[in-house]
Amino acid sequence: MALILGIETSCDETGAAVFDSQRQKLLSNSLYSQIQLHTTYGGVVPEIASRSQLEKIDEIVASALTKAHVSFAHIDAIAVTNRPGLVGSLLVGICFAKALAWSGKKKLIGVNHLEGHIFSTFLKKDYTVEENIPFPHLSLTASGGHTALYLVHDFGKYECLVQTEDDAAGEAFDKISKVIGLGYPGGPKIERFAANVKFQDFYSYSRLKKARTELFLSFSGLKTSVLYHLVNQGLYDLQTSKLTQPLDQEMQERIASSLLNAVTDIFESNIIQAFKRYPAIKAFTFGGGVACNNYMKNRFKDLCSRYKKSFFAPAPEFCTDNGAMIAFVGSYKAAQGMFSTFSLDAER
Ligand code: KG4
Ligand code: ZN
């Protein structure tokens, strides 16, 4: 198995990529992001997402093949995300991959999107594979739909140590960003506004006492903390669920910065717990859309050097949803002979 075509359509991004298993090199990574389609609604609208997937999939897969300078005939296997995600969106990729595999007599490989994020950390900016990430390592994946810490034993062998009890970290950024009038997607805006006030922590939002002594992730309480902070200042009306007046930029910056500090601290205490509990951990990796955040990356880098663990995070194009991570997981699954049948279906 040399060339793997990876297809990702689990949410609001249509991604396709070609990975060369023999040379351990990514040949292309094409993406269409629907962010613009959803901004007016303040979040992803599933119906719009699946329709857009259908409109773009053909073009994005063709673009991945063209950029890789390979024809479809040269592809050996097709890896596609089949879980978890929005069912309508997932089905577009799965049906497309199945049809391609059937008509071209190619192998089919169903890939777990979360496994994609865990191993996306191996993808380097120059499209080669990072060779220095040791096993076992600790992997934090944080995005708009999921947030968890994994103990990673080998390629495809990992266990979830803790996952969020409620909202994902990216979801907390997105929801609070909407409340304070910064819009969707929240993460990049929160980071930009926090940078304006040098990432200071003004309001000390709730840190989860539980996370200091055990592995525990939860982010929905942060939204409540921010809301009550605004209510107490007469800036938010709980009856109408609206601001009583637009916030000035200084207030938005202070909230954004305090929020970023709270989320980072919650992660830090969980990472420390995991390092203490599993002394065999040699490195720490950080993936998912939230791993685009430079402030967090710098904090985690410092933490890792204090605990003598190496730190890895992929380039931003491999943090947010992409086809490359699916092609990469597909490549080692192919090497392990883990193929899917045509009964492959979408799973939430
Ligand atoms: O991985 P991803 O593209 O999609 C999901 O699988 O959910 O992640 C999108 C999430 C959004 O919630 C977005 O706000 C967050 O990643 N995000 C960030 C940053 N860039 C994107 N969060 C914090 N800081 C950023 N710079
Ligand atoms: Zn994702």
Side-chain angles (χ1 to χ4, degrees):
M1 284 291 142
L3 295 182
I4 314 290
L5 170 67
I7 298 177
E8 157 63 40
T9 67
S10 67
C11 189
D12 60 340
E13 261 105 16
T14 313
V18 178
F19 185 80
D20 184 334
S21 302
Q22 260 155 23
R23 289 161 58 211
Q24 286 291 290
K25 196 167 182 348
L26 189 64
L27 303 183
S28 65
N29 185 34
S30 294
L31 187 82
Y32 171 74
S33 171
Q34 306 174 3
I35 282 181
Q36 291 306 328
L37 301 181
H38 302 284
T39 34
T40 33
Y41 304 96
V44 177
V45 182
E47 287 290 323
I48 295 176
S50 54
R51 191 168 313 163
S52 169
Q53 294 285 4
L54 202 51
E55 284 166 6
K56 290 289 172 188
I57 182 107
D58 213 347
E59 179 188 326
I60 291 299
V61 170
S63 140
L65 293 171
T66 308
K67 284 186 192 163
H69 303 292
V70 297
S71 74
F72 180 59
H74 294 119
I75 296 293
D76 296 294
I78 301 166
V80 62
T81 305
N82 78 310
R83 67 191 186 281
L86 300 172
V87 172
S89 287
L90 283 168
L91 280 173
V92 174
I94 296 167
C95 293
F96 197 86
K98 278 191 197 177
L100 282 182
W102 178 265
S103 62
K105 298 190 172 48
K106 316 284 183 194
K107 293 280 193 187
L108 183 69
I109 306 164
V111 173
N112 181 331
H113 181 80
L114 304 179
E115 186 168 337
H117 278 303
I118 296 170
F119 292 93
S120 68
T121 51
F122 282 83
L123 297 172
K124 288 170 63 173
K125 211 158 130 192
D126 65 0
Y127 281 24
T128 60
V129 172
E130 175 61 67
E131 288 172 351
N132 299 315
I133 304 180
F135 294 107
H137 63 254
L138 183 70
S139 183
L140 169 63
T141 63
S143 69
H146 32 261
T147 296
L149 266 178
Y150 299 89
L151 185 56
V152 187
H153 301 283
D154 206 339
F155 291 107
K157 267 183 72 188
Y158 53 94
E159 58 183 298
C160 180
L161 299 181
V162 61
Q163 61 181 332
T164 178
E165 298 282 316
D166 37 59
D167 290 354
E171 189 179 356
F173 287 132
D174 295 338
K175 284 182 175 171
I176 296 168
S177 173
K178 194 173 167 186
V179 167
I180 65 174
L182 296 184
Y184 175 84
K189 292 187 174 122
I190 296 280
E191 183 174 18
R192 226 177 308 129
F193 273 59
N196 291 344
V197 284
K198 301 197 166 48
F199 302 106
Q200 289 177 76
D201 185 13
F202 296 89
Y203 304 127
S204 300
Y205 293 131
S206 123
R207 277 345 188 230
L208 303 175
K209 279 198 197 92
K210 224 173 158 182
R212 280 189 220 138
T213 50
E214 54 189 285
L215 290 167
F216 185 76
L217 290 171
S218 159
F219 298 97
S220 68
L222 276 173
K223 189 180 158 193
T224 318
S225 289
V226 174
L227 282 184
Y228 277 92
H229 170 222
L230 292 171
V231 168
N232 291 340
Q233 303 199 33
L235 293 166
Y236 194 86
D237 183 355
L238 286 173
Q239 305 275 296
T240 59
S241 300
K242 283 199 173 91
L243 291 170
T244 54
Q245 61 188 76
L247 300 185
D248 60 29
Q249 187 170 333
E250 191 186 349
M251 186 74 180
Q252 289 173 320
E253 288 167 345
R254 286 172 171 234
I255 293 174
S257 193
S258 306
L259 172 66
L260 184 51
N261 271 277
V263 173
T264 310
D265 283 356
I266 291 170
F267 280 142
E268 270 205 6
S269 42
N270 276 273
I271 296 166
I272 292 170
Q273 287 297 320
F275 284 167
K276 286 184 177 160
R277 255 172 221 220
Y278 304 94
I281 289 171
K282 297 188 177 107
F284 171 74
T285 67
F286 183 26
V290 177
C292 292
N293 193 293
N294 286 314
Y295 171 78
M296 275 192 185
K297 278 194 279 196
N298 289 333
R299 288 268 308 265
F300 296 159
K301 233 181 260 170
D302 287 351
L303 179 73
C304 285
S305 71
R306 267 188 276 135
Y307 281 81
K308 304 203 169 14
K309 317 280 181 192
S310 37
F311 172 89
F312 299 88
E317 75 172 299
F318 307 124
C319 289
T320 47
D321 289 350
N322 64 85
M325 64 186 190
I326 305 306
F328 181 64
V329 171
S331 78
Y332 67 70
K333 285 188 106 178
Q336 295 165 357
M338 295 175 71
F339 299 106
S340 304
T341 66
F342 282 97
S343 64
L344 183 74
D345 208 346
E347 292 169 35
R348 277 171 200 274

